Amino acid sequence: MEDIIAYFEQLDPILAAFYATLFTWGLTALGASVVFLFKTMSRAALDGMLGFTGGVMVAASFWSLLAPGIEMSPGEGFVKVIPAAVGFFLGAAFLFGLDKILPHLHINFKESEKEGIKTPWHKTTLLTLAITLHNIPEGLAVGVLFGGVAMGMDGATIGGAVALAMGIGLQNLPEGVAVAMPLRRAGMSRKKSFMYGQASAIVEPVAAVIGAWAVLTFEPILPYALAFAAGAMIFVVVEEVIPETQQDKFTDIATMGFIGGFIIMMILDVGLG
């Protein structure tokens, strides 16, 4: 692990963010590749995986983004927390807007429950776009944190940025499964199911590069940018991930998956950050 951290320390921060999110995209593709081995997966396993995803995202939002953002903000008391509060709200508002505009369909929901502007797009495209919404704030978070490390801001470390990428990569693995498996079960070919599954995370390297560039170009926005990514991720968890796990009788499994994901992300961030 020390060698990995040392390697990223030598890279340009934008390139480091790009490489880190190529890793997270790769784990999404690995998860989607399960369709080459199985045609179906139990609903209990799927809900547990989605719960794990939510736990990682919530833990990452605090340990990797909000806490460092507050620590590096100037001032004391209420003044110190203003950038985090403003950024958190703007991040949630940004995802709220995308959620209302971008056509998508959550996993485990009926086609009649699709959201966003009305469109004739097929269910496969809508499912992929739903997971793509998850991945925008995840890629952004990695990019912003690597940018913060390059700016030498207190609370931002290469270890923390690597831990965040690892945690997001771990929860991308079940996300890839969660997209590809329902498509395969619906009768789509293995190859197409895999392609749709991995495509949902292609946005992460793009978002990471944008996030790192923005922080490096406009240094004062860093505390706001960290909280922005956290707000976007929390919005996704509350509005999408958790409801997706509550559509059947396996809510307890989903809840324990959430707890496990939170613990693992917390351990990674504290241990490496």
Side-chain angles (χ1 to χ4, degrees), residues 22-47:
L22 281 183
F23 164 76
T24 62
W25 165 79
L27 286 184
T28 305
L30 181 61
S33 69
V34 170
V35 296
F36 292 109
L37 303 175
F38 307 101
K39 186 174 182 177
T40 61
M41 176 172 287
S42 72
R43 180 62 182 272
L46 185 61
D47 284 349

Side-chain angles (χ1 to χ4, degrees), residues 23-266:
F23 164 76
T24 62
W25 165 79
L27 286 184
T28 305
L30 181 61
S33 69
V34 170
V35 296
F36 292 109
L37 303 175
F38 307 101
K39 186 174 182 177
T40 61
M41 176 172 287
S42 72
R43 180 62 182 272
L46 185 61
D47 284 349
M49 289 179 180
L50 288 173
F52 178 87
T53 291
V56 169
M57 293 175 74
V58 169
S61 296
F62 176 74
W63 296 101
S64 300
L65 300 171
L66 279 176
I70 293 172
E71 183 177 340
M72 66 182 62
S73 298
E76 298 293 337
F78 289 114
V79 173
K80 191 174 182 66
V81 80
I82 286 176
V86 171
F88 191 86
F89 172 79
L90 292 177
F94 173 70
L95 259 291
F96 175 81
L98 282 182
D99 186 70
K100 296 304 178 186
I101 296 172
L102 186 67
H104 61 283
L105 175 66
H106 301 313
I107 300 165
N108 298 333
F109 279 64
K110 299 176 182 178
E111 193 163 2
S112 60
E113 298 176 290
K114 60 186 179 183
E115 299 180 6
I117 59 175
K118 295 187 181 300
T119 174
W121 294 349
H122 294 298
K123 181 178 181 179
T124 52
T125 303
L126 296 174
L127 281 170
T128 305
L129 288 175
I131 299 297
T132 300
L133 271 176
H134 293 199
N135 292 328
I136 291 173
E138 293 166 8
L140 186 64
V142 174
V144 166
L145 199 52
F146 272 106
V149 173
M151 300 307 298
M153 301 299 287
D154 292 337
T157 67
I158 283 290
V162 170
L164 177 60
M166 290 178 63
I168 288 176
L170 285 175
Q171 62 95 29
N172 274 5
L173 189 66
E175 274 192 0
V177 178
V179 177
M181 269 300 177
L183 301 180
R184 176 61 181 150
R185 188 170 58 245
M188 183 175 285
S189 70
R190 288 185 172 89
K191 183 177 180 180
K192 283 188 176 181
S193 298
F194 168 76
M195 292 304 295
Y196 274 102
Q198 61 83 32
S200 62
I202 288 178
V203 70
E204 285 191 1
V206 177
V209 168
I210 292 173
W213 171 84
V215 168
L216 292 170
T217 306
F218 308 102
E219 180 181 348
I221 73 167
L222 180 56
Y224 295 90
L226 288 169
F228 181 97
M233 286 212 286
I234 293 297
F235 179 90
V236 167
V237 173
V238 176
E239 204 277 336
E240 298 183 15
V241 177
I242 292 177
E244 288 168 11
T245 66
Q246 306 299 303
Q247 299 297 304
D248 212 312
K249 58 185 178 181
F250 304 109
T251 56
D252 288 344
I253 293 175
T255 300
M256 295 311 298
F258 183 99
I259 297 299
F262 189 99
I263 291 172
I264 288 174
M265 185 66 234
M266 178 175 63

